[in-house]
Amino acid sequence: YLIILTNIRFFCSILSSSLISGFSVAEACTMNVNVKKDSSCFTSQSTVQLSSGIEKAMKDLVIGDEILTYTFQGARIPTKILTFIHQDPGHIGQYYTITTEDGNAILISATHLIFKVNEVTLTFQSVFASRLKPGDFIFVQSQTTHDPTPVKVVRVSIALYEGAFAPVTSEGTLIVDGVWVSCYADISDHRLAHSLMAPLRFLYSVAPKWMGSRGPFIHKHLKNMFRPFGVRLLGKETFYDMIQTNEI
């Protein structure tokens, strides 16, 4: 019921905004170069791998690109980019650098979901990136087998970086800077977020250019539409709280 009701309200709002204004969602957005602490994205210099194996910077990705990700069973597969929740090259925001003991490092915003793994049982759960600390384990792509491998986090730091990019794939996950992560942010449960986004993924898969895809417009609507319903029905602990970030 939550998924149906929330998405009906979301699409009514987004469609009316586009039709009333007479121009696309992309044109309704303006570039914001102010420093933001609540980015829910990756930086311009973050990288992914295309299905061909070629590395590509986040800022150069386009709708329709096929990039690599993992299934929940650990198989590496291609997945198509359907849209961008956020796509702002001029954005300046705070990002976490999460470094693992093999020397790998991912740049990721505090609210973005990443998979924290139990290195013994190999079970995992989605957590906000800001909740990770040295000693935790995350899935890093093996340089030899390319399998998702639990690797220990040894350092977490925060710094300002340029760009804010949040691609949405058909699988709902992707490999960024060699680390397996979710496409989603702000809500703590990846599977719930993936379900809530199902209508949007479908719409973009059939008409990606009609709705537009650039700027912070979609991201703002997702927060404004999903959070009020979610907090009332699921509890505020399900959603990201800026006050609870780690002290680093």
Side-chain angles (χ1 to χ4, degrees):
Y1 177 76
L2 168 64
I3 294 174
I4 295 173
L5 185 60
T6 302
N7 278 295
I8 288 175
R9 182 178 176 183
F10 170 68
F11 282 115
C12 287
S13 174
I14 200 171
L15 285 171
S16 63
S17 296
S18 297
L19 293 174
I20 292 173
S21 63
F23 46 78
S24 71
V25 171
E27 292 167 322
C29 302
T30 57
M31 184 174 292
N32 186 352
V33 296
N34 295 324
V35 174
K36 299 292 184 180
K37 294 185 178 181
D38 61 343
S39 306
S40 302
C41 318
F42 305 101
T43 71
S44 295
Q45 67 188 65
S46 299
T47 61
V48 300
Q49 276 188 307
L50 299 178
S51 56
S52 62
I54 297 175
E55 193 173 89
K56 194 171 187 179
M58 191 69 67
K59 63 183 177 63
D60 297 325
L61 288 176
V62 296
I63 292 173
D65 276 348
E66 284 198 342
I67 62 176
L68 293 174
T69 190
Y70 293 115
T71 66
F72 282 94
Q73 292 71 43
R76 193 172 71 150
I77 61 169
T79 183
K80 183 176 290 188
I81 293 179
L82 302 178
T83 187
F84 289 83
I85 294 177
H86 205 153
Q87 193 178 29
D88 188 352
H91 176 100
I92 303 294
Q94 288 186 350
Y95 288 93
Y96 281 63
T97 299
I98 299 171
T99 306
T100 52
E101 63 181 351
D102 62 353
N104 196 81
I106 179 174
L107 296 172
I108 187 171
S109 62
T111 66
H112 210 94
L113 294 180
I114 189 169
F115 298 108
K116 177 182 174 182
V117 59
N118 183 309
E119 74 278 15
V120 177
T121 65
L122 297 185
T123 57
F124 55 91
Q125 62 178 349
S126 57
V127 299
F128 297 121
S130 63
R131 305 294 190 263
L132 284 178
K133 59 186 183 300
D136 289 338
F137 284 74
I138 58 177
F139 281 118
V140 177
Q141 179 175 239
S142 168
Q143 294 297 315
T144 54
T145 65
H146 303 297
D147 293 331
T149 305
V151 182
K152 183 187 293 186
V153 174
V154 295
R155 186 169 61 257
V156 179
S157 59
I158 302 176
L160 296 179
Y161 287 93
E162 186 177 34
F165 297 85
V168 176
T169 68
S170 52
E171 286 292 314
T173 60
L174 65 165
I175 302 170
V176 178
D177 297 332
V179 177
W180 189 43
V181 298
S182 170
C183 289
Y184 310 118
D186 299 322
I187 185 168
S188 61
D189 188 323
H190 166 81
R191 294 181 187 276
L192 177 58
H194 194 57
S195 296
L196 288 169
M197 287 290 289
L200 185 61
R201 291 197 311 275
F202 172 75
L203 181 61
Y204 273 106
S205 68
V206 297
K209 303 301 182 183
W210 180 65
M211 293 287 287
S213 63
R214 292 182 177 273
F217 186 81
I218 297 295
H219 183 240
K220 184 177 77 172
H221 266 71
L222 288 173
K223 278 192 165 183
N224 291 343
M225 295 294 110
F226 287 168
R227 186 178 284 259
F229 282 110
V231 168
R232 286 197 293 269
L233 296 177
L234 301 174
K236 65 180 181 179
E237 65 276 3
T238 304
F239 296 85
Y240 186 81
D241 183 353
M242 289 292 293
I243 298 176
Q244 298 176 3
T245 55
N246 290 335
E247 296 290 338
I248 297 178

mmCIF file of all heavy atoms in Angstrom, residues 128-149:
data_model
loop_
_atom_site.group_PDB
_atom_site.id
_atom_site.type_symbol
_atom_site.label_atom_id
_atom_site.label_comp_id
_atom_site.label_asym_id
_atom_site.label_seq_id
_atom_site.Cartn_x
_atom_site.Cartn_y
_atom_site.Cartn_z
ATOM 1 N N PHE A 128 24.059 3.205 5.486
ATOM 2 C CA PHE A 128 24.503 4.499 4.985
ATOM 3 C C PHE A 128 26.028 4.539 5.030
ATOM 4 O O PHE A 128 26.649 4.051 5.978
ATOM 5 C CB PHE A 128 23.930 5.628 5.837
ATOM 6 C CG PHE A 128 22.432 5.717 5.796
ATOM 7 C CD1 PHE A 128 21.684 5.611 6.959
ATOM 8 C CD2 PHE A 128 21.762 5.901 4.590
ATOM 9 C CE1 PHE A 128 20.300 5.697 6.927
ATOM 10 C CE2 PHE A 128 20.378 5.982 4.545
ATOM 11 C CZ PHE A 128 19.650 5.881 5.715
ATOM 12 N N ALA A 129 26.628 5.141 4.026
ATOM 13 C CA ALA A 129 28.092 5.176 3.942
ATOM 14 C C ALA A 129 28.711 5.813 5.178
ATOM 15 O O ALA A 129 29.789 5.411 5.623
ATOM 16 C CB ALA A 129 28.528 5.934 2.689
ATOM 17 N N SER A 130 28.033 6.791 5.755
ATOM 18 C CA SER A 130 28.567 7.479 6.929
ATOM 19 C C SER A 130 28.615 6.578 8.160
ATOM 20 O O SER A 130 29.272 6.915 9.153
ATOM 21 C CB SER A 130 27.728 8.716 7.241
ATOM 22 O OG SER A 130 26.398 8.350 7.576
ATOM 23 N N ARG A 131 27.923 5.443 8.115
ATOM 24 C CA ARG A 131 27.916 4.526 9.261
ATOM 25 C C ARG A 131 29.108 3.570 9.255
ATOM 26 O O ARG A 131 29.371 2.895 10.255
ATOM 27 C CB ARG A 131 26.618 3.711 9.294
ATOM 28 C CG ARG A 131 25.343 4.538 9.291
ATOM 29 C CD ARG A 131 25.177 5.365 10.556
ATOM 30 N NE ARG A 131 23.847 5.942 10.618
ATOM 31 C CZ ARG A 131 23.546 7.177 10.245
ATOM 32 N NH1 ARG A 131 24.497 7.969 9.767
ATOM 33 N NH2 ARG A 131 22.321 7.633 10.338
ATOM 34 N N LEU A 132 29.805 3.490 8.122
ATOM 35 C CA LEU A 132 30.964 2.598 8.055
ATOM 36 C C LEU A 132 32.107 3.144 8.905
ATOM 37 O O LEU A 132 32.304 4.350 9.003
ATOM 38 C CB LEU A 132 31.432 2.433 6.611
ATOM 39 C CG LEU A 132 30.588 1.528 5.712
ATOM 40 C CD1 LEU A 132 31.175 1.525 4.303
ATOM 41 C CD2 LEU A 132 30.493 0.111 6.248
ATOM 42 N N LYS A 133 32.882 2.233 9.474
ATOM 43 C CA LYS A 133 34.037 2.616 10.294
ATOM 44 C C LYS A 133 35.154 1.600 10.072
ATOM 45 O O LYS A 133 34.909 0.479 9.581
ATOM 46 C CB LYS A 133 33.645 2.678 11.773
ATOM 47 C CG LYS A 133 33.113 1.381 12.334
ATOM 48 C CD LYS A 133 32.622 1.571 13.754
ATOM 49 C CE LYS A 133 32.146 0.252 14.371
ATOM 50 N NZ LYS A 133 31.029 -0.342 13.609
ATOM 51 N N PRO A 134 36.383 1.963 10.385
ATOM 52 C CA PRO A 134 37.494 1.012 10.255
ATOM 53 C C PRO A 134 37.192 -0.289 11.007
ATOM 54 O O PRO A 134 36.699 -0.265 12.134
ATOM 55 C CB PRO A 134 38.674 1.765 10.889
ATOM 56 C CG PRO A 134 38.343 3.205 10.637
ATOM 57 C CD PRO A 134 36.851 3.305 10.807
ATOM 58 N N GLY A 135 37.461 -1.398 10.324
ATOM 59 C CA GLY A 135 37.151 -2.701 10.893
ATOM 60 C C GLY A 135 35.955 -3.355 10.240
ATOM 61 O O GLY A 135 35.807 -4.585 10.281
ATOM 62 N N ASP A 136 35.081 -2.549 9.631
ATOM 63 C CA ASP A 136 33.953 -3.097 8.886
ATOM 64 C C ASP A 136 34.457 -3.687 7.568
ATOM 65 O O ASP A 136 35.560 -3.367 7.101
ATOM 66 C CB ASP A 136 32.921 -2.007 8.590
ATOM 67 C CG ASP A 136 32.170 -1.555 9.834
ATOM 68 O OD1 ASP A 136 32.121 -2.328 10.802
ATOM 69 O OD2 ASP A 136 31.647 -0.419 9.829
ATOM 70 N N PHE A 137 33.629 -4.524 6.954
ATOM 71 C CA PHE A 137 33.980 -5.137 5.672
ATOM 72 C C PHE A 137 32.971 -4.724 4.608
ATOM 73 O O PHE A 137 31.764 -4.631 4.885
ATOM 74 C CB PHE A 137 34.011 -6.662 5.780
ATOM 75 C CG PHE A 137 35.225 -7.213 6.462
ATOM 76 C CD1 PHE A 137 35.378 -7.116 7.839
ATOM 77 C CD2 PHE A 137 36.238 -7.826 5.726
ATOM 78 C CE1 PHE A 137 36.505 -7.620 8.476
ATOM 79 C CE2 PHE A 137 37.364 -8.331 6.342
ATOM 80 C CZ PHE A 137 37.501 -8.232 7.725
ATOM 81 N N ILE A 138 33.458 -4.474 3.397
ATOM 82 C CA ILE A 138 32.602 -4.179 2.249
ATOM 83 C C ILE A 138 33.037 -5.038 1.069
ATOM 84 O O ILE A 138 34.125 -5.624 1.078
ATOM 85 C CB ILE A 138 32.658 -2.686 1.858
ATOM 86 C CG1 ILE A 138 34.095 -2.263 1.535
ATOM 87 C CG2 ILE A 138 32.074 -1.825 2.972
ATOM 88 C CD1 ILE A 138 34.216 -0.813 1.059
ATOM 89 N N PHE A 139 32.179 -5.132 0.053
ATOM 90 C CA PHE A 139 32.500 -5.940 -1.125
ATOM 91 C C PHE A 139 33.332 -5.129 -2.120
ATOM 92 O O PHE A 139 32.872 -4.114 -2.654
ATOM 93 C CB PHE A 139 31.225 -6.425 -1.819
ATOM 94 C CG PHE A 139 30.579 -7.608 -1.151
ATOM 95 C CD1 PHE A 139 29.296 -7.509 -0.635
ATOM 96 C CD2 PHE A 139 31.256 -8.819 -1.052
ATOM 97 C CE1 PHE A 139 28.688 -8.604 -0.031
ATOM 98 C CE2 PHE A 139 30.665 -9.912 -0.447
ATOM 99 C CZ PHE A 139 29.377 -9.810 0.067
ATOM 100 N N VAL A 140 34.533 -5.607 -2.387
ATOM 101 C CA VAL A 140 35.425 -4.991 -3.366
ATOM 102 C C VAL A 140 35.650 -5.985 -4.492
ATOM 103 O O VAL A 140 35.810 -7.198 -4.259
ATOM 104 C CB VAL A 140 36.779 -4.606 -2.729
ATOM 105 C CG1 VAL A 140 37.733 -4.040 -3.777
ATOM 106 C CG2 VAL A 140 36.554 -3.595 -1.606
ATOM 107 N N GLN A 141 35.657 -5.496 -5.717
ATOM 108 C CA GLN A 141 35.883 -6.360 -6.866
ATOM 109 C C GLN A 141 37.318 -6.864 -6.881
ATOM 110 O O GLN A 141 38.269 -6.075 -6.876
ATOM 111 C CB GLN A 141 35.588 -5.601 -8.164
ATOM 112 C CG GLN A 141 35.811 -6.423 -9.422
ATOM 113 C CD GLN A 141 35.404 -5.675 -10.674
ATOM 114 O OE1 GLN A 141 34.543 -6.118 -11.421
ATOM 115 N NE2 GLN A 141 36.020 -4.531 -10.911
ATOM 116 N N SER A 142 37.482 -8.186 -6.906
ATOM 117 C CA SER A 142 38.819 -8.780 -6.937
ATOM 118 C C SER A 142 39.518 -8.433 -8.245
ATOM 119 O O SER A 142 38.910 -8.493 -9.325
ATOM 120 C CB SER A 142 38.714 -10.303 -6.802
ATOM 121 O OG SER A 142 39.942 -10.924 -7.102
ATOM 122 N N GLN A 143 40.794 -8.058 -8.149
ATOM 123 C CA GLN A 143 41.564 -7.706 -9.340
ATOM 124 C C GLN A 143 41.889 -8.922 -10.202
ATOM 125 O O GLN A 143 42.183 -8.796 -11.386
ATOM 126 C CB GLN A 143 42.862 -7.013 -8.931
ATOM 127 C CG GLN A 143 42.651 -5.658 -8.260
ATOM 128 C CD GLN A 143 41.997 -4.653 -9.198
ATOM 129 O OE1 GLN A 143 42.377 -4.517 -10.357
ATOM 130 N NE2 GLN A 143 40.991 -3.955 -8.701
ATOM 131 N N THR A 144 41.818 -10.097 -9.613
ATOM 132 C CA THR A 144 42.176 -11.327 -10.352
ATOM 133 C C THR A 144 40.946 -12.093 -10.836
ATOM 134 O O THR A 144 40.820 -12.401 -12.020
ATOM 135 C CB THR A 144 43.045 -12.238 -9.476
ATOM 136 O OG1 THR A 144 42.372 -12.478 -8.226
ATOM 137 C CG2 THR A 144 44.395 -11.582 -9.204
ATOM 138 N N THR A 145 40.012 -12.399 -9.921
ATOM 139 C CA THR A 145 38.833 -13.187 -10.292
ATOM 140 C C THR A 145 37.637 -12.317 -10.664
ATOM 141 O O THR A 145 36.666 -12.815 -11.243
ATOM 142 C CB THR A 145 38.418 -14.104 -9.134
ATOM 143 O OG1 THR A 145 37.990 -13.295 -8.018
ATOM 144 C CG2 THR A 145 39.594 -14.983 -8.690
ATOM 145 N N HIS A 146 37.682 -11.027 -10.287
ATOM 146 C CA HIS A 146 36.575 -10.079 -10.504
ATOM 147 C C HIS A 146 35.347 -10.407 -9.660
ATOM 148 O O HIS A 146 34.272 -9.839 -9.877
ATOM 149 C CB HIS A 146 36.179 -10.013 -11.989
ATOM 150 C CG HIS A 146 37.315 -9.650 -12.892
ATOM 151 N ND1 HIS A 146 37.979 -8.442 -12.820
ATOM 152 C CD2 HIS A 146 37.927 -10.361 -13.887
ATOM 153 C CE1 HIS A 146 38.944 -8.405 -13.727
ATOM 154 N NE2 HIS A 146 38.937 -9.551 -14.385
ATOM 155 N N ASP A 147 35.491 -11.312 -8.710
ATOM 156 C CA ASP A 147 34.390 -11.653 -7.813
ATOM 157 C C ASP A 147 34.260 -10.608 -6.706
ATOM 158 O O ASP A 147 35.230 -9.933 -6.358
ATOM 159 C CB ASP A 147 34.634 -13.029 -7.168
ATOM 160 C CG ASP A 147 34.575 -14.162 -8.177
ATOM 161 O OD1 ASP A 147 33.845 -14.011 -9.176
ATOM 162 O OD2 ASP A 147 35.248 -15.188 -7.957
ATOM 163 N N PRO A 148 33.062 -10.485 -6.115
ATOM 164 C CA PRO A 148 32.910 -9.587 -4.962
ATOM 165 C C PRO A 148 33.584 -10.201 -3.739
ATOM 166 O O PRO A 148 33.224 -11.288 -3.298
ATOM 167 C CB PRO A 148 31.388 -9.501 -4.785
ATOM 168 C CG PRO A 148 30.863 -10.784 -5.362
ATOM 169 C CD PRO A 148 31.791 -11.129 -6.493
ATOM 170 N N THR A 149 34.566 -9.509 -3.202
ATOM 171 C CA THR A 149 35.383 -10.044 -2.115
ATOM 172 C C THR A 149 35.283 -9.153 -0.876
ATOM 173 O O THR A 149 35.484 -7.942 -0.976
ATOM 174 C CB THR A 149 36.858 -10.133 -2.551
ATOM 175 O OG1 THR A 149 36.939 -10.898 -3.764
ATOM 176 C CG2 THR A 149 37.705 -10.788 -1.473
#
